[in-house]
Amino acid sequence: MKAEPYHALANSSWRFISIDGAPPVSDKAHLEFREDRLGANLGCNGMGGPWRVEDERLMAGPLTQTEMYCEGPVWDQEQAIVTLLSAAPQVMVQEGKLELRSSGHSARLEQVGPGPTPQRQGS
C-alpha cells in the first residue's frame, strides 16, 4: 500500500494520557504533527523528525533530539517514547483520541489542538 500524502494527524496537537500504562510524569508531555514533521517533548528533551503513515503504522524518523541531562521517571518515559516512535507503531485515531502501539511500548493521547477537520467554535 502507498504512503498517504495527507493523514488525519496532519496539523494536530496531542497531550499524553498514558505512556506504557502510566500517567505522564510531566503535564507538558505532548506530541505535535505538522504536514511532514512531528515534534514531541516529555518534560526534558525535545525531539522531532519527518513522519508519514503507511499501512496504519506511523513511520517516524530519523528523529533528532536535544541532549539535556535528565534522570528518573521523566527520562524513562522519554526513552520509551523515542523507542515507540522509532518502531513504526500501529496508529489508531478515533474521536479525539490517539493510540500508538509497538512491541513493548504504547501511548494514549488526547487531541488538544486543531486537526484538519473543521471544529465548531463557541458563540
Side-chain angles (χ1 to χ4, degrees), residues 67-85:
E67 296 180 2
M68 293 176 20
Y69 177 74
C70 311
E71 63 181 358
V74 72
W75 171 253
D76 296 339
Q77 288 188 339
E78 185 175 289
Q79 292 309 299
I81 294 303
V82 167
T83 301
L84 175 66
L85 292 176

Side-chain angles (χ1 to χ4, degrees), residues 6-122:
Y6 184 80
H7 190 270
L9 293 175
N11 302 313
S12 63
S13 297
W14 304 82
R15 180 182 69 84
F16 284 91
I17 299 170
S18 69
I19 300 165
D20 291 340
V25 175
S26 172
D27 61 356
K28 296 178 183 174
H30 70 280
L31 177 62
E32 295 178 344
F33 294 91
R34 293 180 193 95
E35 284 188 34
D36 61 352
R37 294 194 62 79
L38 66 79
N41 191 304
L42 278 290
C44 189
N45 287 294
M47 64 187 84
W51 73 278
R52 68 185 188 286
V53 173
E54 217 174 277
D55 295 327
E56 297 181 23
R57 292 199 169 272
L58 177 64
M59 312 301 278
L63 298 175
T64 58
Q65 187 172 355
T66 59
E67 296 180 2
M68 293 176 20
Y69 177 74
C70 311
E71 63 181 358
V74 72
W75 171 253
D76 296 339
Q77 288 188 339
E78 185 175 289
Q79 292 309 299
I81 294 303
V82 167
T83 301
L84 175 66
L85 292 176
S86 299
Q90 289 181 305
V91 62
M92 293 159 273
V93 181
Q94 186 175 14
E95 297 178 8
K97 302 284 189 226
L98 168 62
E99 188 167 346
L100 301 172
R101 290 188 171 278
S102 71
S103 56
H105 293 288
S106 65
R108 293 185 62 233
L109 302 94
E110 67 182 359
Q111 191 167 5
V112 294
T117 307
Q119 296 192 359
R120 207 167 131 177
Q121 303 212 355

